[in-house]
Structure formats: structure tokens, C-alpha cells
Amino acid sequence: LNDAHSLRLQYGEAFRTPTTNELFSSDNVTQGNPLLQQEKIATLEAIWRWQGSNTQWETVLFRNKMQDFVNKVALEGGSRFTFANTDEHEIRGVETSLNWKLNEHWEGQLNYTHLFDSPFNASFKRYGQIRLGYQQESLSLNLDALWRSAVGEQGFHQSAYSLINFQGRWQWQEKQALTLSLTNLFDKQYQVYEPRLSNLAMPGERRQLILGYQVSF
């Protein structure tokens, strides 16, 4: 439209071939289905983007139309599962992303997604993220907060919650670096909606700390 504003309309199609486990597994939990068809998805997006001197804002309206989605279904008795191509499913929503650069080293990012239709997992109906990052030649630090809205689904309830994560990388030599990753920094206890379980709830991941050492050849 001009130097700052742009509009774009795009369409794409993709497919996913069933995995070996989905086709041929045979254990105490799942029974494969060799008759599975490919998953197919068609995506239509309308994108508006604003570009400032140090800030960028993008908003996307989208529609995902899925066919033959592979999902677990209970076998007779309910103690074992198989895989089946489910009916057609459509998900519409809006995503927005705001990026800004504070100075040479500091930058921030804000993301938010809102689905108009019910997703396969109700925990992803509305969610967002805010990130603050510091970058220089040998050091990279990132602190982010993930937010999910409250979920009330078929007897399951989880209040809205936030998780704080941290990632750091120090390039202490030309070909060697140390990394640090902290997820769920404050060890938040929460549950995720999981319709395949009898109580509909799966415990969320607790605090994790990962130290890494990288060598480039």
C-alpha cells in the first residue's frame, strides 16, 4: 500500500503421510491401521503488515481446512486404541505479532493467537507469549512468558496460567559455546486437557534445567 503498510493474500496446501507407528504398531496400548490415508490441509491467509523504523506489527486472519486427520480412537473395551482418519475439520482464527528493537542489543516480541473454532486441544483456544532478548557478539539472553487462557471442557477445568522460561548462550571461544535452558522457571503446577485420558487431565511439565556445551568443527 505504501512504505509502511502492506496487504497479502496467500493460499497453500500440504499433506502428511501416516507414521510407521500409526500404520503398523501392535502393543498393549495401540493397534496400527494400515488403511490410513494421508492427512491433508488447505490454508487461506489474509496478512496485514506495518513496518516502522524499529518496530514491526503483523496480523494474520487464517482458515485451516483439514481432511482425513489421523487421531486415536478407542477399540472395543476401551483399554487399547487404534488410529483412524477423522471427519473434515475447520479452524479459523487470528494471530498477531509485534516486534520492536529498543537499541543495538535489546529487543522485544509479543505474540497472541485467538481461535474462533474449537481446536483439537482446548488448551490452545487462546494463548500468547511475550519475550525480551539481549544480543551481542558472544552473549545471547532470552526471557519469555507463555500465557494460556482458562479451560473448562467436559468436566475438566484449568485456570489461566503463565510459564516463565529462560535461554542463554555464551560463545566463550570461536568454535565453542555454553548454553543454559530453564523451562517453567518458578515450577508452576498445572494440567493440560487431554481427551484421550479417563480423567481428561495430563500433568504439565515441571521445572527443567538443561546445560549444554557446543563444539563446531
Side-chain angles (χ1 to χ4, degrees):
L1 302 178
N2 53 42
D3 291 341
H5 297 271
S6 64
L7 291 174
R8 187 167 74 249
L9 185 67
Q10 61 188 35
Y11 174 82
E13 293 185 2
F15 67 90
R16 184 186 74 88
T17 302
T19 65
T20 302
N21 181 66
E22 292 167 341
L23 291 168
F24 306 115
S25 67
S26 181
D27 52 42
N28 294 331
V29 179
T30 59
Q31 176 67 50
N33 179 3
L35 301 179
L36 287 175
Q37 303 298 309
Q38 294 176 340
E39 292 181 345
K40 295 176 282 292
I41 183 171
T43 299
L44 180 65
E45 296 179 320
I47 304 167
W48 166 78
R49 181 177 179 179
W50 171 72
Q51 180 69 58
S53 57
N54 294 307
T55 308
Q56 175 186 306
W57 185 11
E58 184 173 275
T59 298
V60 182
L61 284 170
F62 63 88
R63 186 194 72 171
N64 296 328
K65 187 175 182 180
M66 292 166 280
Q67 293 179 302
D68 298 325
F69 190 83
V70 176
N71 204 354
K72 280 185 179 180
V73 294
L75 292 170
E76 187 175 351
S79 60
R80 298 184 71 208
F81 297 85
T82 188
F83 301 93
N85 293 109
T86 58
D87 296 333
E88 180 178 298
H89 191 72
E90 182 175 280
I91 294 181
R92 298 163 298 169
V94 59
E95 295 179 332
T96 189
S97 177
L98 178 65
N99 298 271
W100 64 92
K101 195 170 183 63
L102 301 174
N103 54 42
E104 182 182 358
H105 300 295
W106 290 93
E107 62 182 12
Q109 184 180 60
L110 177 65
N111 302 303
Y112 176 72
T113 298
H114 184 108
L115 302 182
F116 305 140
D117 302 298
S118 298
F120 292 106
N121 189 324
S123 298
F124 294 91
K125 177 75 173 178
R126 297 191 305 275
Y127 57 96
Q129 176 194 35
I130 186 168
R131 181 182 69 87
L132 182 64
Y134 175 83
Q135 314 287 333
Q136 66 172 24
E137 185 176 352
S138 61
L139 184 64
S140 171
L141 304 174
N142 289 282
L143 184 69
D144 69 78
L146 304 176
W147 172 83
R148 298 201 187 282
S149 63
V151 177
E153 192 80 15
Q154 300 175 355
F156 170 84
H157 178 75
Q158 168 64 58
S159 301
Y161 63 90
S162 297
L163 302 176
I164 309 298
N165 305 306
F166 173 81
Q167 299 86 34
R169 187 176 191 274
W170 177 36
Q171 188 81 34
W172 65 289
Q173 291 190 14
E174 181 181 358
K175 294 186 177 182
Q176 300 179 66
L178 298 175
T179 62
L180 171 65
S181 175
L182 275 167
T183 57
N184 196 357
L185 183 62
F186 297 108
D187 202 23
K188 171 73 175 179
Q189 296 186 45
Y190 64 99
Q191 294 182 324
V192 177
Y193 175 67
E194 177 48 76
R196 292 173 293 186
L197 298 180
S198 59
N199 64 347
L200 304 177
M202 177 180 291
E205 292 186 353
R206 301 292 295 273
R207 179 169 51 213
Q208 296 185 40
L209 185 152
I210 301 174
L211 291 171
Y213 172 67
Q214 297 179 344
V215 178
S216 301
F217 299 98

